[in-house]
Amino acid sequence: MTQALPKLLTFNEFIEWYPNDTKRYELHKGVIIEMPPPTGAHEKVVAFLSRKLTVEFDRLNLPYGIPKTSFIQIPSAESAYSPDVLLLNLDNLDNEPLFQKQSTVSQAASVPIVIEVVSSNWRDDYYNKLRDYEEMGIPEYWIADYAALGARKFIGNPKQPTIFVCELVDGEYQMTPFQGNTAILSPTFPQLNLTAQQIFNAAN
């Protein structure tokens, strides 16, 4: 007996399907994935990071913004992610064909930084999204593993809360880990005054 494979959706089908039910969904290679509800600690980290980045781009008077809900469509795959923190270059949004109607970007020039705050589905952040953001050419990707959920090969044994800043160099991400009171080095914001521990403390 052969089992029928589930029908894979295109991005447009996913957007047309998307229900208004307060849940969050992403499209992973044509498959709809319901995202786990965030914990309070997770949302406090998201809020803290959003505030820190907003203060910095406002100080520098850059044309950036952080939307409440937007998708990154991965052009090379039928995938659409809704990042925890998405820094948009507002000057490039006129070049984005899907932004006006669907709040969706698909060009690396629109995304100076994308941040995923790690939760129970940590493999998505360390493997799938890292690969897809890298392939898309997003210059800077943070993996904020404040609860030390990732694999030991990433965050050590015993596991330690870690922030990874992934910088695109010659088309590949160079992953730099930050732990404890180490100052985070951001290629986009070299004067950002922020330590890994400050991010971890935000969860408390």
Side-chain angles (χ1 to χ4, degrees):
M1 179 178 174
T2 59
Q3 186 175 358
L5 293 173
K7 180 184 182 298
L8 299 182
L9 272 66
T10 65
F11 172 76
N12 287 334
E13 289 171 332
F14 168 68
I15 290 295
E16 288 173 11
W17 164 88
Y18 204 96
N20 186 17
D21 62 3
T22 73
K23 296 178 182 177
R24 288 178 61 208
Y25 302 91
E26 292 185 339
L27 188 68
H28 293 202
K29 296 192 175 192
V31 177
I32 295 170
I33 304 293
E34 181 181 342
M35 307 306 290
T39 63
H42 179 281
E43 291 301 272
K44 286 198 285 186
V45 171
V46 169
F48 178 77
L49 287 169
S50 298
R51 178 167 65 91
K52 285 294 184 181
L53 292 183
T54 299
V55 167
E56 189 66 4
F57 70 69
D58 190 55
R59 182 182 73 81
L60 297 170
N61 199 29
L62 293 170
Y64 293 167
I66 297 175
K68 178 176 179 292
T69 306
S70 284
F71 285 111
I72 295 180
Q73 182 197 15
I74 310 302
S76 60
E78 290 295 349
S79 295
Y81 302 135
S82 179
D84 290 308
V85 180
L86 172 57
L87 186 64
L88 289 179
N89 177 0
L90 305 181
D91 281 354
N92 195 60
L93 295 184
D94 285 344
N95 301 319
E96 290 282 3
L98 301 174
F99 189 79
Q100 203 62 31
K101 287 188 175 181
Q102 298 166 338
S103 188
T104 298
V105 295
S106 59
Q107 300 172 11
S110 299
V111 187
I113 294 178
V114 61
I115 300 176
E116 298 288 359
V117 178
V118 178
S119 53
S120 57
N121 53 340
W122 62 267
R123 287 177 177 82
D124 286 341
D125 302 326
Y126 278 98
Y127 293 106
N128 301 335
K129 294 181 181 181
L130 183 142
R131 177 198 63 226
D132 288 342
Y133 293 153
E134 177 184 73
E135 187 173 325
M136 186 174 161
I138 292 174
E140 188 170 339
Y141 169 41
W142 292 23
I143 302 172
D145 197 348
Y146 73 94
L149 296 173
R152 290 178 180 84
K153 66 180 176 181
F154 293 115
I155 61 175
N157 187 12
K159 293 183 177 185
Q160 298 289 323
T162 307
I163 308 295
F164 286 96
V165 174
C166 308
E167 179 184 5
L168 197 69
V169 178
D170 296 330
E172 296 181 6
Y173 277 145
Q174 305 297 313
M175 296 177 69
T176 304
F178 298 92
Q179 298 175 337
N181 290 313
T182 307
I184 288 173
L185 301 177
S186 165
T188 304
F189 297 119
Q191 293 177 291
L192 185 67
N193 185 16
L194 182 64
T195 67
Q197 193 61 48
Q198 285 175 296
I199 298 173
F200 306 147
N201 291 345
N204 299 327

